[in-house]
Amino acid sequence: MAIDVTTTSPLAATWAPRLLSVLRIVAALIFMAHGTQKLLGFPVAEGGGGPEAFTLSWFAGVIELVTGFLMLIGLFTRPAAFLASGTMAFAYWIAHAPRDVFPVLNGGDAAILYCFVFLYLAAAGPGPWSVDATRRAA
């Protein structure tokens, strides 16, 4: 059964939607950094250059950069978050799971967390501080 935050406390009713926006913004910024590292070389990764064009890693970088930016500003948040969530699920099973069963040992814990945070954003929407919310209000 879902908890209705509007009846539990005025503080929760006020801040829950705002914190949804904060979660979206922070997750998108960190996600975008993965894309900029792969495609733009910033921040500089160990070992130097990024992936060759049109490889799986390159496509992942494009998705990270584009969906990260869309989620950052809150534009087309639901489809962008859904695509990003699927990308992280794919990344986990292709790149991390074959290394070890345990996410903490295979380096896939961030991919799992991104996957479910973005899946939540796809369902919950962008929150009030977003271009999507502004477009709905107009």
Side-chain angles (χ1 to χ4, degrees):
M1 180 151 112
I3 296 173
D4 182 6
V5 295
T6 58
T7 61
T8 56
S9 101
L11 183 66
T14 300
W15 281 98
R18 294 175 183 172
L19 289 175
L20 173 60
S21 290
V22 171
L23 173 66
R24 173 186 48 81
I25 292 165
V26 171
L29 278 170
I30 298 168
F31 195 59
M32 267 182 64
H34 290 278
T36 60
Q37 186 177 47
K38 286 181 181 92
L39 299 177
L40 308 175
F42 180 80
V44 177
E46 277 186 41
E52 289 189 33
F54 305 107
T55 61
L56 279 178
S57 188
W58 182 85
F59 280 113
V62 170
I63 292 170
E64 290 162 355
L65 189 58
V66 172
T67 62
F69 178 74
L70 289 172
M71 288 186 290
L72 174 66
I73 64 172
L75 179 63
F76 306 121
T77 303
R78 290 178 193 266
F82 188 75
L83 177 58
S85 175
T87 300
M88 289 297 93
F90 183 78
Y92 180 78
W93 291 108
I94 295 299
H96 298 284
R99 294 184 197 162
D100 198 279
V101 169
F102 301 105
V104 74
L105 297 177
N106 68 25
D109 42 355
I112 294 169
L113 190 57
Y114 277 127
C115 178
F116 284 95
V117 166
F118 295 149
L119 189 60
Y120 173 69
L121 290 175
W129 297 334
S130 65
V131 174
D132 289 337
T134 303
R135 291 175 59 213
R136 271 193 310 271

